[in-house]
Amino acid sequence: MILTVTLNAAIDKRYVVEGFRTGEVNRVKECTYVPGGKGLNVSKPASIYGAEVVATGFAGGHAGAYIEDALKPFGIRSAFYHVDAESRSCINIWDEVNQVQTEFLEPGFTLTEEDFAGFEAKFRQLVQEAKVVAMSGSVPKGLDGTAYQRLVKIVKDAGIPVILDTSGKLLEMGIETIPTMIKPNIDEIRMLTGKRCDDISEIIEAARAIHERGVKIVAVSLGADGSLAVGDDGIFRARVPKIDAVNTVGCGDSMIAGFALGLSKGLPLEETLRLASAISAAAAMREETGFFVMEDMEKLLPQIEITRL
């Protein structure tokens, strides 16, 4: 079982408009509502691939109930810790005319230490069933970087691989507890190492420095240039074929799903990177965030070029 953690889950609302105008009434051409938050965008691709997935985190009110219900068609089991306050919504406005995306991200509820202690007790039980734990995204108000430190420690004490995918101070503090894997972007790896990372050799040097601190896998997204991964097996770079990208939002989360799948199956790093790259690229070909079609992924898989550096 893959256990995903989304501490700041949301309803993701996507509005499609023709010519977004500030200060005026905008008619929505079409809209979609999906359970969101980075952890849930890991849950969905992992489940589509065929893994048993349990999603945990915090959920509250009618919005929280909707998030849980909306995960059922994916075959994802919800194991959220419930609070009285309402879960947040995040709005993505896509302007078809100007090809511009505008986002409104609600802050969500505020948690207390009592809330988090209750969640920790539930989390300890869930971890006992897991083969891999992937925790992703921001944290609600009332929590700080120590939240991920505490959760990573619980997973490590259970002897289970843990992926931490967050940013800023949360990543800086979370990495102190040495998760199994992180996936920083270029800015984040600069922050963590103080290195300039102006070319591929400097990026590799920075990723190796983090790996030498105990993080077993350091995966770095290179955008259109693919990605690279540094681990005990060596250093590998992945290049993906040219695709017709429709929606790249959440593709990094789909890549995390691929790494979680690889870790759960005991695949070597090279094959894990290939799988993660294929799932991420397949997700970019579909409009819905955190979604891919197996047929797309299976076509892309043999086209992923992996080079040992």
Side-chain angles (χ1 to χ4, degrees), residues 71-180:
L71 291 174
K72 291 176 182 176
F74 290 93
I76 297 166
R77 178 159 66 93
S78 294
F80 286 87
Y81 185 85
H82 295 110
V83 295
D84 292 333
E86 199 77 19
S87 289
R88 65 187 184 135
S89 292
C90 295
I91 299 171
N92 179 314
I93 300 173
W94 174 245
D95 182 349
E96 284 190 327
V97 174
N98 297 306
Q99 299 285 292
V100 172
Q101 182 172 274
T102 303
E103 292 185 282
F104 295 88
L105 308 179
E106 293 182 8
F109 40 59
T110 300
L111 297 178
T112 64
E113 175 57 32
E114 184 180 2
D115 293 326
F116 194 68
F119 172 74
E120 279 183 303
K122 185 183 188 74
F123 183 67
R124 280 190 178 90
Q125 294 178 325
L126 293 169
V127 165
Q128 299 308 313
E129 307 172 41
K131 290 190 81 172
V132 178
V133 178
M135 46 188 77
S136 310
S138 61
V139 300
K141 290 182 294 183
L143 302 183
D144 58 20
T146 59
Y148 277 137
Q149 288 180 338
R150 288 158 65 173
L151 297 182
V152 168
K153 186 176 186 305
I154 289 170
V155 183
K156 289 184 67 180
D157 286 349
I160 296 163
V162 54
I163 301 170
L164 176 62
D165 185 28
T166 187
S167 59
K169 197 68 177 176
L170 294 173
L171 176 60
E172 195 173 5
M173 294 179 69
I175 201 174
E176 291 176 8
T177 47
I178 317 295
T180 309

Side-chain angles (χ1 to χ4, degrees), residues 17 25 30 106-107 136 143 200 202 221 233 239 260 281 292 298:
V17 300
V25 173
E30 58 185 82
E106 293 182 8
S136 310
L143 302 183
I200 190 72
E202 290 182 347
S221 173
D233 295 352
R239 289 182 173 86
F292 78 97
E298 288 165 351

Side-chain angles (χ1 to χ4, degrees), residues 204-261:
I204 292 170
E205 182 184 343
R208 287 179 67 178
I210 296 171
H211 174 63
E212 288 167 3
R213 285 162 57 182
V215 179
K216 290 189 175 180
I217 300 173
V218 182
V220 184
S221 173
L222 304 173
D225 293 327
S227 59
L228 64 85
V230 176
D232 294 340
D233 295 352
I235 303 168
F236 300 93
R237 181 169 181 177
R239 289 182 173 86
V240 300
K242 186 173 176 58
I243 59 170
D244 293 324
V246 175
N247 177 18
T248 58
V249 176
C251 287
D253 303 322
S254 296
M255 177 166 274
I256 292 292
F259 275 102
L261 288 162

Side-chain angles (χ1 to χ4, degrees), residues 278-289:
I279 291 175
S280 177
M285 296 169 63
R286 299 290 166 168
E287 190 170 295
E288 184 179 332
T289 300

